[in-house]
Amino acid sequence: MKKPFERVVEEHAASVLRVCRAVVGVHDADDAWSETFLAAMRAYPDLPDDANVEAWLVTVAHRKAIDITRAGQRHAVPVADLPERPSADGLPDESDPDLWRAVKALPEKQRQAVAYHHFAGLPYREVARIVGGTPEAARRAASDGIKALRTTLSLKGATTP
Amino acid sequence: MKDRTGSTRTTGDPDLSTLVDRATVDPEALARLHTRLEDAAARDGLLDVAYTVVDSPVGRLLLAATEKGLVRVAFHNQDHDKVLDDLAGTLSPRVLRAPKRLDDVARELDQYFSGARRTFDLPLDLSLSHGFRQLVQRHLPEIAYGRTLSYGEVARLVGNPKAVRAVGTACATNPLPVVVPCHRVLRADGTLGGYAGGAAAKSVLLDLESAA
């Protein structure tokens, strides 16, 4: 028997938001999160009871992120009909701008691998299933991503605990 | 995060832990996104069961509604988590905390508890009860505010005078206590009888109604 969807939101809202911030950037993360959970709520009754819910949500978020990235590339110019969005015009709740800027600067594969493995906690096997390629390639991408982040950030992060 | 253990390399790496910690999101962002999900789910017809929890003189009350109407009221002592599990199992797993749908219910309950309201004017969804139990529950609002009947009198009211015990069961399993006034049914000797919210809650409701 399935637990109430509210409990899925409670348990996974934060990690999915981190994943969204990492893969589409802080500015589009709210949209990606909203579309992910709405799609998940739609499909939830049909989800097998033994499914790995976190992996399922990250898979949905991954697809939504691709949609959002493509849409952003398609109409980067027009401003007429902005999607409804809570007032905040700047970057909403950008708790750590340096971190998100550094993550955003990573190549796509590294960004996804870091997000899905380190932020969402999925094993490399699951990461590989979502992004394609082998678990070993996913592990390398995450490792390279972390190395790059360490170079960009670690000095600040490590010296002031 | 159950799968975090899958990455043995990361544990014990302070830089990496710092990095992951720095990705922490603030509760306000999550609260705002939750509200946005409530609205979108309602708009898209996905909000099969909306619920909220309100304070009342008889303790915290869980209120749940389908698109048809109020479907469940539960007292604190009935274990709200379990009630939500049951709703997910019997109605739909698409259960979301979405207070907006319960605004009217919450307002009428406030008015009732402050003595300003004697009857509820709310759409009800009786799909959690069936047969004789539902029949009894449909008749309970005929017992006027401030009045009480015995289980036997209710049995007569529903046209089945011998079904005294079944009336007791119907009252005990009322999915909409307070709003559907099973608290107005007492034992023949005038003692309280059982109540899902406990005897104290039943007394509070009866005192409230007799004072008004």
Side-chain angles (χ1 to χ4, degrees):
Chain A
M1 201 187 75
K2 279 218 179 56
K3 54 187 174 186
F5 190 72
E6 176 67 26
R7 226 161 281 156
V8 172
V9 180
E10 281 169 13
E11 285 166 23
H12 303 283
S15 66
V16 171
L17 184 56
R18 287 188 296 178
V19 163
C20 291
R21 286 179 178 183
V23 292
V24 298
V26 175
H27 194 81
D28 286 324
D30 282 10
D31 286 345
W33 188 98
S34 297
E35 288 182 26
T36 297
F37 273 96
L38 192 64
M41 190 166 173
R42 191 183 300 277
Y44 185 57
D46 299 322
L47 183 74
D49 284 359
D50 60 350
N52 176 340
V53 176
E54 178 81 8
W56 173 63
L57 287 170
V58 171
T59 307
V60 178
H62 175 74
R63 291 196 201 112
K64 293 297 171 189
I66 291 172
D67 291 349
I68 285 175
T69 309
R70 281 197 193 133
Q73 285 159 353
R74 257 203 314 277
H75 38 79
V77 192
V79 184
D81 57 343
L82 284 171
E84 57 178 287
R85 183 202 288 277
S87 65
D89 214 28
L91 300 181
D93 308 302
E94 195 179 8
S95 44
D96 193 333
D98 291 341
L99 172 72
W100 298 115
R101 209 172 297 131
V103 170
K104 199 176 182 182
L106 295 175
E108 187 181 47
K109 283 274 188 236
Q110 293 181 18
R111 207 165 62 232
Q112 290 168 343
V114 167
Y116 305 160
H117 179 70
H118 292 292
F119 292 175
L122 299 186
Y124 290 120
R125 179 173 34 82
E126 289 289 342
V127 178
R129 198 184 47 73
I130 296 169
V131 303
T134 63
E136 178 53 26
R139 197 195 60 74
R140 268 198 313 274
S143 162
D144 291 347
I146 291 297
K147 214 175 291 170
L149 289 178
R150 213 190 286 272
T151 315
T152 325
L153 296 165
S154 68
L155 293 177
K156 298 171 204 167
T159 47
T160 52
Chain B
M1 211 89 356
K2 8 182 200 325
D3 291 318
R4 183 59 57 72
T5 48
S7 56
T8 43
R9 254 191 83 247
T10 67
T11 52
D13 177 342
D15 275 7
L16 191 48
S17 312
T18 309
L19 212 128
V20 172
D21 284 349
R22 283 174 65 174
T24 303
V25 300
D26 46 313
E28 292 79 17
L30 294 176
R32 198 188 54 235
L33 286 169
H34 195 289
T35 307
R36 198 171 151 183
L37 177 62
E38 294 159 34
D39 294 343
R43 184 197 62 211
D44 287 7
L46 298 177
L47 193 49
D48 296 342
V49 181
Y51 76 90
T52 191
V53 176
V54 297
D55 285 318
S56 87
V58 289
R60 309 267 287 158
L61 293 176
L62 174 88
L63 313 174
T66 63
E67 286 185 333
K68 278 191 259 172
L70 184 65
V71 73
R72 189 77 172 91
V73 175
F75 292 99
H76 184 68
N77 66 338
Q78 292 177 296
D79 187 351
H80 290 174
D81 280 343
K82 185 179 177 309
V83 171
L84 291 171
D85 283 344
D86 291 346
L87 291 173
T90 47
L91 295 176
S92 161
R94 290 193 194 116
V95 177
L96 195 68
R97 181 171 49 74
K100 217 170 283 177
R101 186 183 282 171
L102 286 312
D103 277 355
D104 286 346
V105 179
R107 190 169 31 81
E108 293 206 4
L109 281 170
D110 273 348
Q111 293 165 342
Y112 170 79
F113 284 119
S114 68
R117 171 174 287 277
R118 290 170 167 245
T119 57
F120 291 98
D121 179 23
L122 297 166
L124 303 182
D125 179 345
L126 296 178
S127 59
L128 290 179
S129 58
H130 304 278
F132 186 72
R133 292 182 188 182
Q134 193 190 88
L135 176 77
V136 171
Q137 289 156 13
R138 282 182 188 280
H139 278 281
L140 289 176
E142 294 167 21
I143 312 173
Y145 185 94
R147 305 290 300 276
T148 59
L149 288 185
S150 69
Y151 292 103
E153 286 168 324
V154 174
R156 283 198 289 281
L157 179 74
V158 301
N160 198 342
K162 287 190 177 154
V164 181
R165 266 173 183 280
V167 165
T169 308
C171 290
T173 57
N174 174 15
L176 296 166
V178 184
V179 173
V180 169
C182 59
H183 58 274
R184 292 175 197 154
V185 186
L186 308 177
R187 289 213 187 98
D189 62 6
T191 56
L192 279 181
Y195 193 56
K202 193 168 186 174
S203 296
V204 169
L205 298 176
L206 293 171
D207 290 350
L208 166 79
E209 296 190 7
S210 63

